[in-house]
Amino acid sequence: MNLYEKTAHELHELLTNKKISALELTKDLFARIDEKDSEIGAYLELTKNQALENAKKVDEKIARGEKISALEGIPCAIKDNICTKGVKTTCASKILENFVPPYDATVMQKLNAQNIIMLGKLNMDEFAMGGSTENSAYHITKNPHDLSRVPGGSSGGSAAAVAAGEAIFTLGSDTGGSIRQPASFCGVVGMKPTYGRVSRYGLVAFASSLDQIGPLTKDVTDCATVLNAICGLDEMDSTSTSAAVPDFTKSLVSDVKNLKIGLPKEYFVKGIDKEVETAVINVTKTFEKLGAQIVEISLPHTEFAISTYYIIAPAEAATNLERYDGVSYGARVDGADVVEMMTNTRTEKFGEEVKRRIMIGNYALSAGYYDAYYLKALKVRTLIQKDFTDAFKNVDVILTPTTPNAAFKIGEMTNDPLKMYLQDICTVPVNLAGLPGISLPCGFNKENLPLGFQLIGKPLDEETILRAAFTYEQNKD
Ligand code: GLN
């Protein structure tokens, strides 16, 4: 097996036993990127010199006989909306084309403290708005399982890189499904932690009450290991939680006996592809065989989740994106006066989808419409949260499809934004309620495209979904 195909925990063993060096491993990954990325397009920027330097330092440490951390020397890559000191962070937007952050996001500081090897920055939908990575201002990313299809989005580069062996693990961000949906489309593991578990400091804001950073990995063990590295209270993010961070690798136990798994009937309605439904039902059978109890539940406000999300997320986005005015942040396109300069800058440098969201958001927030749209959406959000609170009185985890269908064709939905938004039906309720959710691969459809399912946990209970996920992974046939 090639090194780039291995998991972080396998590579950690090889590094500690001196079977391989971090330099050799890093070079292997760059060779893979050279071979693959011209067709996949997962990366926006490579940081090769720095990566090779860092790998040498890890090797020196190993040579001195020092112990290395679980992620030390492991090659990874980062979504381009996470600030990396001295390395361009564009959010796949022309407006941040030349933005080089003077600081690291908290998650980067935490990963660097573990001496990870960052290979580069990954493609995404502009400002994380989208579900296909077709909204990148630079280039599209292709699904490694079928180059005529999208990898999902907005963390499409993050999912494609892991699936194609162009990074051992990656970080993505998830506002309405952007980690879990691409993970599902590319056949990898992706987790959105509980809102507040991971600091958002240095994550370029899309919709601040929904955004969360999380890992995309090849297996559940790596997911737990990366979570251990990135979670925790941060005084730089007032919404980060002070709840104790457990050792998530302790949840890697193969045991779901007596676990109560809820199957929400609203997630198995028309619009869900038959093959997806069958795959998810097979997952429930596996869980049942392993001693879990499957119970039908109801999340009655599910049908309002898309409209609620597509009011709240654009409203927050419109506000967050006001800062790109050609004055303090990002690119500037000159004009005769300040108003013309701002207009020119935003007209030329923002892409179509970003402009659409800004318009929807400002409309929903404007005087006269605020109560009818934004305020109402906030009320429905509370009802959606309450659905989950009620359901979790009777079950430990909730199981759903991650997406209504497998990866779609490039260009298939670009002219129909509404159809694209409907793709998010299974993932947005989890963000609206602030809950942890993980997407796991569960086989392939007839066209050989990966399918995924989602496990949703109680607030701050990543441990139970990790345990269930690990058990499934160990026992699936
Ligand atoms: N597809 C959703 C959207 O377009 C989710 C994006 C995300 O999670 N960043 O808003």
Side-chain angles (χ1 to χ4, degrees):
M1 197 196 238
N2 295 303
L3 291 181
Y4 64 77
E5 289 174 286
K6 294 190 185 292
T7 61
H9 56 95
E10 288 165 346
L11 292 167
H12 176 70
E13 284 299 312
L14 295 173
L15 285 168
T16 25
N17 298 329
K18 299 190 181 149
K19 294 259 166 46
I20 58 165
S21 72
L23 189 61
E24 176 190 340
L25 173 60
T26 306
K27 284 183 176 162
D28 190 71
L29 266 292
F30 279 115
R32 178 69 178 171
I33 293 170
D34 278 348
E35 178 195 331
K36 274 285 183 195
D37 210 47
S38 52
E39 64 181 32
I40 305 286
Y43 281 88
L44 285 173
E45 175 98 0
L46 295 174
T47 47
K48 193 167 180 178
N49 293 341
Q50 192 60 48
L52 295 174
E53 282 305 307
N54 291 343
K56 281 183 205 152
K57 284 190 201 135
V58 172
D59 286 334
E60 282 160 19
K61 197 168 160 186
I62 296 171
R64 288 196 298 271
E66 288 175 41
K67 223 175 137 186
I68 56 166
S69 75
L71 294 177
E72 197 144 358
I74 303 297
C76 62
I78 308 296
K79 187 175 181 180
D80 210 28
N81 58 351
I82 296 175
C83 285
T84 40
K85 189 176 174 177
V87 177
K88 255 198 317 194
T89 300
T90 67
C91 290
S93 180
K94 289 283 179 199
I95 214 156
L96 288 176
E97 199 166 15
N98 298 311
F99 175 56
V100 179
Y103 69 103
D104 270 324
T106 298
V107 288
M108 272 326 290
Q109 291 173 23
K110 283 174 175 280
L111 288 183
N112 286 332
Q114 301 253 339
N115 295 326
I116 52 91
I117 309 294
M118 183 176 85
L119 304 173
K121 302 296 294 287
L122 297 160
N123 201 17
M124 53 185 281
D125 286 301
E126 184 177 4
F127 282 103
M129 297 172 192
S132 67
T133 315
E134 292 164 297
N135 296 339
S136 167
Y138 298 100
H139 55 79
I140 57 169
T141 298
K142 295 178 181 162
N143 190 314
H145 292 271
D146 177 345
L147 298 176
S148 70
R149 291 177 189 267
V150 302
S154 64
S155 313
S158 305
V162 174
E166 296 185 56
I168 304 303
F169 74 89
T170 59
L171 290 188
S173 68
D174 191 312
T175 305
S178 277
I179 291 174
R180 292 159 288 154
Q181 184 254 26
S184 171
F185 280 8
C186 291
V188 301
V189 175
M191 181 190 266
K192 181 198 92 72
T194 306
Y195 184 77
R197 257 293 187 218
V198 180
S199 168
R200 290 180 296 110
Y201 179 68
L203 169 68
V204 180
F206 163 11
S208 310
S209 78
L210 302 159
D211 298 342
Q212 210 26 212
I213 296 172
L216 292 103
T217 57
K218 292 176 184 168
D219 69 2
V220 179
T221 302
D222 279 5
C223 178
T225 309
V226 179
L227 268 191
N228 273 356
I230 62 173
C231 289
L233 177 66
D234 179 13
E235 61 175 20
M236 301 302 281
D237 172 5
S238 60
T239 61
S240 87
T241 171
S242 59
V245 181
D247 175 355
F248 292 111
T249 59
K250 294 238 165 71
S251 306
L252 303 172
V253 183
S254 184
D255 178 14
V256 288
K257 265 181 235 80
N258 303 321
L259 191 79
K260 266 179 124 175
I261 302 177
L263 218 53
K265 60 171 191 262
E266 292 80 4
Y267 284 65
F268 296 88
V269 288
K270 68 169 182 356
I272 302 285
D273 182 90
K274 267 278 155 251
E275 284 188 275
V276 172
E277 192 172 318
T278 311
V280 175
I281 296 303
N282 285 339
V283 172
T284 64
K285 288 185 186 144
T286 306
F287 275 123
E288 258 176 339
K289 256 195 268 157
L290 296 164
Q293 194 189 334
I294 308 286
V295 228
E296 190 185 274
I297 58 164
S298 172
L299 298 166
H301 295 92
T302 303
E303 63 172 307
F304 306 117
I306 293 278
S307 26
T308 305
Y309 172 85
Y310 278 99
I311 295 288
I312 293 176
E316 293 185 19
T319 312
N320 277 324
L321 270 57
E322 268 171 27
R323 73 191 69 176
Y324 307 103
D325 54 6
V327 179
S328 34
Y329 280 99
R332 169 186 294 193
V333 180
D334 283 333
D337 54 25
V338 70
V339 174
E340 202 182 288
M341 181 280 285
M342 285 182 185
T343 309
N344 290 348
T345 301
R346 290 168 71 87
T347 305
E348 269 185 44
K349 299 293 180 181
F350 280 142
E352 290 304 304
E353 184 59 28
V354 173
K355 287 181 201 162
R356 184 178 294 124
R357 307 271 178 128
I358 292 173
M359 285 191 281
I360 295 172
N362 282 327
Y363 183 82
L365 289 172
S366 57
Y369 294 105
Y370 183 94
D371 286 5
Y373 293 104
Y374 185 65
L375 198 63
K376 194 185 259 175
L378 290 184
K379 289 177 182 166
V380 182
R381 181 178 190 172
T382 306
L383 293 174
I384 291 169
Q385 282 164 342
K386 193 175 167 299
D387 280 356
F388 281 105
T389 311
D390 291 344
F392 278 126
K393 285 181 187 145
N394 299 316
V395 297
D396 304 303
V397 300
I398 294 172
L399 195 157
T400 75
T402 308
T403 58
N405 40 257
F408 48 88
K409 292 260 188 206
I410 292 167
E412 193 179 325
M413 296 199 192
T414 32
N415 294 324
D416 193 345
L418 206 56
K419 203 166 159 197
M420 188 81 99
Y421 296 171
L422 291 172
Q423 285 283 310
D424 302 332
I425 180 62
C426 306
T427 48
V428 293
V430 182
N431 300 72
L432 289 167
L435 303 171
I438 190 170
S439 177
L440 293 174
C442 59
F444 294 85
N445 70 5
K446 284 199 204 78
E447 289 167 296
N448 236 348
L449 299 168
L451 299 173
F453 73 100
Q454 171 175 240
L455 291 167
I456 307 168
K458 295 177 185 173
L460 295 170
D461 191 16
E462 285 83 4
E463 288 166 285
T464 307
I465 53 176
L466 282 170
R467 175 158 61 89
F470 182 76
T471 309
Y472 174 76
E473 188 183 67
Q474 297 300 306
N475 294 285
K476 66 178 173 195
D477 17 70

